[in-house]
Amino acid sequence: MSTSFVSHQGGRYFWVSLAFMVLCIIIYAWHDPVQSPNGGTWYGYTLGTIGALMILWLLYLGKRKRNFANGWGTTKGWVSAHVYLGSSLLVIATLHTGFQFGWNIHTVAYALMCLVIFSGFFGVYAYVVYPSARNKVKKSRTRDDIFEQIQGIDQQLKKLVSDLPEEIGAMVNSAIDRTEFGGGFLDQLLGRDKSKVMIDGIIVNNNNQDVVVENLVQKLTLARGQETKDLASLVKEYGARQKLLGVIRTDIRLSAIQEIWLSFHVPISFGLIAALAAHIASVFIYW
Amino acid sequence: MYDIVVIGAGPGGLSAAARCAELEVSHALLESSPKIANTIQKYQKGKHVMAEPGILPLRSPVDFAAGKREEILDAWETGIAHHKVNIQYGAEAKSITGEVGNFSIGLVNGEVVQAKHIILGIGMQGNPRQLGVPGDQSDFIQYQLDDPDEYHDENIAVIGAGDAAIENAIALAKHNNVYIVNRKDEFARAKEGNLNLILAAIDSEEIGAFYSSSPTEVEILEGEKFRGNLVLSTNVGIEKLPVHRVIGRLGAIPPRGLVESFGIEFPSKDMSAIPALTSQYESNVTGIYVIGALGGYPLIKQAMNQGYEVVEYILGHDVKPADHGLIEDKFKALPYDNMEVDDVLTMMQERIPIFSSVNALLFRELILDSTVHVFNEGDVVFERDDYTNSFYTVLEGGIKTVITEDLIISSAVGAFTGEGSLLSGRRRSATVLAGDQCILIETPRRTMLKLIASIESVKRVLDETFIVRQIQTKFAPNTDIKELEPIASKAVINSYTPGQVIMKEGDEGDTFHLIRSGSVTVSNEVNGKELIRTYLPAGADIGEMALLGDTTRSATIKATVKTETVSIDKEAFEMLLSRSPGLREELQEKTKKRYQENVKLQGDDDSDGLLSFLMDQGLGEATSALMIDEDLCVGCDLCEQACAATHDGTSRMNRRAGPTHAHIHVPTSCRHCESPHCMKDCPPNAIQRMGGGGEVVIGDNCIGCGNCKQNCPYGVIEMAYQTKATSSFWQWMLFGIGLAPGKGEVLSHGAPNEIKKAVKCDLCIEQNHGPACVRACPTGAAMRLNPVDFAKLA
């Protein structure tokens, strides 16, 4: 029912862009400039102009997607066109260079463009793969649902420890209070768990709640009578909590990976604009 | 003996009594509570009260204009004091005997008041149900809670299991020790949100709960820490709960029983029916007049005008109703220059049979709500597949109903059209064109539904017509309507509650059903599990295989929402077959197709239960439901930003809220229900279903009463101050100044005359390009679907 931007309108922009690339290659092969092919021939200028205009148009997506009242096409259609026509720039710009590279502003602009496009490729991959992966990890729950479940378990745990020795209560309560999520971008990306717990007055790392689980299991092994039962239900609940926290952490990590390319794609695009301006200016100044 | 006794000091009663006082007529105004205008007293503090309908002039000795609750109550208090109205508080009427010129009104306190004429203006709220146990008159027992923050550190028992009880208990639990007493073993009547809240509060021991318990006595404790003991009979015996306060929230006793005991008749059993009244507000009991909400006029200004007019009528004065000018304006375009308004109204009733049995007062109201159109020949009245649902009657000329290109039916003066969409809430099934010199009365759906509920004969005529026209369009387009009537008369209208089984797989049956309103699911049992195959909307037919010989039902059919079907049995169907050559073959062809589809469907099973999940979410009654494919959603929130940006900065959807099943997430957003719950009780009739796409839209004349928010089972309506989108993309982008696109500012937050109005999704009807949320989605995750498309999701 729902079609993604990749297959929008039966991949309309894929075909458009493919046809365009093939056409450009054919003309490139056909045209026979006096010197070897480069940006300065009539065909070089044509491709350069087209490429520069396309870059401006590609950049315009950032504005277009916020024109919420605009009736000209859907954002999905624009994204689809952005992806496929953007990809075709690799061919257009490469033909524009005539395969002449060097240590100069022209090649810098070209390299930046490639970085933008390749980061975009990763973006497409991420947007296709990660949403469903995240949904699978969360078992079709929203993050809020899971947080709610965790809160419910936390209340349950607080109730359960009231019947158990004070040290266990102190440990579980401090583990709840010192559970952490997110952190900096790198922490999110690597799925680092900075949760802590205070045991016997000392704050220790509680990565993946392992310390607490191990401690509880240890106590359960030694427990007798009613305490065994109480501890067993505590361990069961705590295990459920551990699992849910893991789900959230994985989701945060996947979501960070899903979005990381934007931190390259957008800033480098602006860098590209600067380099492109310098490239065009220098071409005209040193005519 | 008073000339006029007014019962009920609401807006209508106050106005009537003040008019009596102004004219120096001997009168009394009886009010059961200790204050005037009980219903308005119950509004929250500072609530802004509107004076709708704005076009209607006020005609009353007492002032009234839109404003704060307190200002309005003050003006009324001043008004009745100024006119020296003889008002008696705490005077609750319980019986009326006698006749015009000599009525005796028996009061609960034992007194008897004598009157020549009685004006009843007791509203529709009724009196709160009392505990009905010894000690229930104690001063610490109350049936209303104005301000929960008034009480601190008390032991409070809240008795009841409805929304009011739950809301009170939760609000009080912040500062008090609260117990909730439920006669049953669960909270079956509560809204889901409240149910979750109370269960969580009971679970966390914030609120104590007594299930299957009812109070048997209230013991009064003098000079002790607690003011009384609430004695409860529970499953495990008698329990005594020491309390400072008992709050009874056991619902209200509707006033209808009391009114009927006065001898006043209601034309139908329907609870929303209103008593039959003359154009001068007189009931079937000569000398007893009914005004205000009880007479079908829920708005304050209407009631006040009626109060004034009814006194004039009783005194025999000839006054024109306040709406006279409005109706006169409505008739301006009509070629009846030399006729009086009342004569035109009479002529309308004479010409149009369906309105002939409607009483003059109700008809006047109907015309006030209606529009009278003068059409040129060939003008389109409405088009097939339009989502409009008003009802048209022919006053002059005629109309042509275009069912198919070859089948055009002409109807003349007195005919009506549009009953199909009116009754089913579905799109128009045919195009209707105006004939020569055509004048039509267009009556809105709400007005017609009120009429159907009140007048049995209107309902009957519409039902019969609906059935015969359905049969004609479905099976016998070339047969004359007259010939089909004997068949139609055998048809039965059945109603089903949500989830009720209409037919069961494997059962024998030879009736055939046409879904008239609502919708159904078709399911099969596979390995002991119910698998929903498909969803069928109103207009579809089910069980036709049975009529052709296969009497074993091949699937289970269940109503998804409140559903009505028209059923025809085998015998009537045989009659139909004999009259329509070719019908048998046509149906056989259809049956063959259905068998083929059934075979195809054997492979697809709704194994992840997506369809069942969607139906459980109430999406069976949706016409356009927002869904998000979680396999595509990157969580960018552009949908919400788009919604806000196109709606003055306030988003009408919540992407994160709502349930998810498999890969489909159902965010909180209006689904534009088939029969919108929100439209049920909108005093200014501000919620409308629009023509083209069926958008359910809240208009600017919203008075902020919040009824729609309460009636919506899906929580998609918000009460909000008006906002204005003030963001600028370039300023935000380049300089980081101002609000990001999709953010808005609240205009004059809580300014004196600013009220919170109801807002919800309008499917971007003003944008002309379809819903912005879907259009703004970069990946294709957001979509708006009709239930018919749900099967494609799986």
Side-chain angles (χ1 to χ4, degrees), chain A residues 1-5 62-63 65-66 68-71 73-76 79 127 131-132 135 140 142 144 159 258-259, chain B residues 203 629-634 641-642 645 660 662-663 665 729 732 741 767 769 775-780 783 785 792:
Chain A
M1 189 62 215
S2 38
T3 46
S4 92
F5 63 96
K63 167 78 177 111
K65 69 174 187 175
R66 293 183 175 89
F68 299 116
N70 193 317
T74 59
T75 306
K76 182 174 85 168
V79 169
Y127 273 23
S132 61
N135 191 38
S140 297
T142 62
D144 290 352
K159 218 181 273 178
Q258 179 190 295
E259 301 300 335
Chain B
D203 213 36
D629 186 336
E630 288 290 328
D631 284 351
L632 295 175
C633 176
V634 293
Q641 288 173 25
T660 311
H663 60 294
H665 177 63
F729 175 81
W732 168 78
Q767 301 292 324
H769 327 292
R775 303 179 51 80
C777 178
T779 62
M783 53 199 152
L785 294 183
K792 297 179 201 156

Side-chain angles (χ1 to χ4, degrees), chain A residues 115-244:
Chain A
L115 282 177
V116 172
I117 294 174
F118 289 124
S119 65
F121 284 165
F122 179 76
V124 172
Y125 166 77
Y127 273 23
V128 167
V129 167
Y130 285 98
S132 61
R134 290 173 60 198
N135 191 38
K136 213 175 257 174
V137 167
K138 288 184 286 185
K139 296 210 175 86
S140 297
R141 291 165 295 187
T142 62
R143 217 186 260 181
D144 290 352
D145 290 342
I146 300 174
F147 273 123
E148 230 166 77
Q149 278 180 310
I150 293 174
Q151 268 167 11
I153 292 179
D154 287 354
Q155 280 186 2
Q156 199 63 31
L157 287 172
K158 287 183 180 183
K159 218 181 273 178
L160 282 171
V161 292
S162 62
D163 297 332
L164 286 161
E166 210 174 299
E167 49 171 295
I168 298 181
M171 177 180 72
V172 168
N173 280 320
S174 93
I176 291 173
D177 292 344
R178 292 173 194 277
T179 299
E180 298 222 8
F181 291 106
F185 189 73
L186 207 59
D187 298 328
Q188 294 187 23
L189 202 60
L190 300 173
R192 274 188 204 147
D193 184 354
K194 290 190 166 169
S195 300
K196 303 259 189 304
V197 62
M198 185 155 77
I199 300 174
D200 304 329
I202 303 161
I203 295 175
V204 293
N205 279 332
N206 187 19
N207 187 20
N208 194 29
Q209 307 293 315
D210 287 339
V211 177
V212 176
V213 171
E214 201 172 308
N215 202 304
L216 287 176
V217 169
Q218 178 84 22
K219 289 205 159 66
L220 177 60
T221 329
L222 301 173
R224 292 288 172 270
Q226 181 61 35
E227 200 176 284
T228 319
K229 269 189 197 162
D230 291 348
L231 263 172
S233 23
L234 188 70
V235 168
K236 202 175 132 208
E237 290 288 328
Y238 208 92
R241 180 173 192 272
Q242 182 188 31
K243 199 170 240 173
L244 289 174

Side-chain angles (χ1 to χ4, degrees), chain B residues 712-783:
Chain B
C712 173
Y714 308 114
V716 303
I717 301 180
E718 294 290 331
M719 305 302 296
Y721 287 114
Q722 212 188 338
T723 50
K724 194 173 171 151
T726 47
S727 56
S728 149
F729 175 81
W730 292 115
Q731 278 187 11
W732 168 78
M733 178 82 228
L734 299 177
F735 311 111
I737 298 172
L739 298 167
K743 294 270 187 301
E745 248 179 325
V746 175
L747 288 177
S748 58
H749 199 118
N753 289 324
E754 177 82 358
I755 56 163
K756 281 189 176 179
K757 290 190 176 190
V759 293
K760 68 165 198 68
C761 161
D762 57 3
L763 282 178
C764 294
I765 189 163
E766 284 172 5
Q767 301 292 324
N768 296 324
H769 327 292
C773 49
V774 174
R775 303 179 51 80
C777 178
T779 62
M783 53 199 152

Side-chain angles (χ1 to χ4, degrees), chain B residues 218-236:
Chain B
V218 181
E219 291 176 359
I220 296 155
L221 304 173
E222 296 287 349
E224 288 189 37
K225 189 178 160 211
F226 295 103
R227 303 184 63 192
N229 276 330
L230 178 66
V231 185
L232 296 171
S233 147
T234 72
N235 272 348
V236 289

Side-chain angles (χ1 to χ4, degrees), chain B residues 200-222:
Chain B
I202 292 171
D203 213 36
S204 63
E205 294 170 11
E206 273 168 63
I207 291 177
F210 289 92
Y211 289 104
S212 308
S213 304
S214 23
T216 55
E217 197 191 337
V218 181
E219 291 176 359
I220 296 155
L221 304 173
E222 296 287 349

Side-chain angles (χ1 to χ4, degrees), chain B residues 494-498 502 515 517-520 559-565:
Chain B
N494 317 281
S495 22
Y496 300 93
T497 51
I502 300 172
I515 307 169
S517 64
S519 56
V520 300
T560 57
V561 290
K562 201 171 146 240
T563 297
E564 282 186 326
T565 69

Side-chain angles (χ1 to χ4, degrees), chain B residues 409-597:
Chain B
I409 297 171
S410 298
S411 318
V413 171
F416 57 83
T417 186
E419 78 289 344
S421 295
L422 171 76
L423 293 172
S424 70
R426 291 274 167 179
R427 296 166 188 266
R428 299 288 191 193
S429 58
T431 299
V432 170
L433 303 174
D436 190 24
Q437 300 193 332
C438 170
I439 300 180
L440 302 183
I441 304 172
E442 180 186 4
T443 310
R445 178 167 200 244
R446 200 176 89 115
T447 311
M448 278 311 289
L449 292 182
K450 209 159 91 179
L451 197 67
I452 293 170
S454 304
I455 299 173
E456 191 57 44
S457 65
V458 172
K459 180 173 161 52
R460 209 182 50 241
V461 171
L462 282 179
D463 279 349
E464 281 167 4
T465 312
F466 182 88
I467 292 171
V468 79
R469 285 186 182 165
Q470 281 286 311
I471 292 176
Q472 189 191 33
T473 37
K474 276 252 158 192
F475 303 114
N478 300 315
T479 312
D480 190 68
I481 265 243
K482 282 267 167 304
E483 278 189 58
L484 294 173
E485 271 164 11
I487 300 166
S489 68
K490 286 187 184 296
V492 183
I493 293 177
N494 317 281
S495 22
Y496 300 93
T497 51
Q500 197 179 344
V501 172
I502 300 172
M503 49 183 78
K504 198 167 182 342
E505 185 179 2
D507 279 4
E508 292 287 307
D510 61 0
T511 48
F512 154 84
H513 293 250
L514 253 170
I515 307 169
R516 172 164 111 150
S517 64
S519 56
V520 300
T521 53
V522 180
S523 62
N524 287 118
E525 202 181 283
V526 178
N527 302 330
K529 257 175 69 184
E530 185 198 15
L531 293 179
I532 296 182
R533 300 286 190 203
T534 185
Y535 161 93
L536 295 173
D541 38 327
I542 43 182
E544 77 283 354
M545 291 179 188
L547 298 173
L548 296 166
D550 182 0
T551 54
T552 309
R553 303 296 194 193
S554 62
T556 298
I557 312 271
K558 254 192 212 174
T560 57
V561 290
K562 201 171 146 240
T563 297
E564 282 186 326
T565 69
V566 175
S567 63
I568 302 169
D569 63 13
K570 195 160 183 144
E571 194 191 335
F573 192 72
E574 292 294 337
M575 285 166 70
L576 192 60
L577 283 179
S578 67
R579 260 167 230 199
S580 329
L583 176 59
R584 183 181 291 275
E585 289 72 26
E586 201 181 300
L587 274 180
Q588 273 165 350
E589 189 56 34
K590 202 169 166 183
T591 311
K592 199 175 114 194
K593 272 205 188 120
R594 190 163 285 190
Y595 275 128
Q596 284 168 341
E597 270 168 33

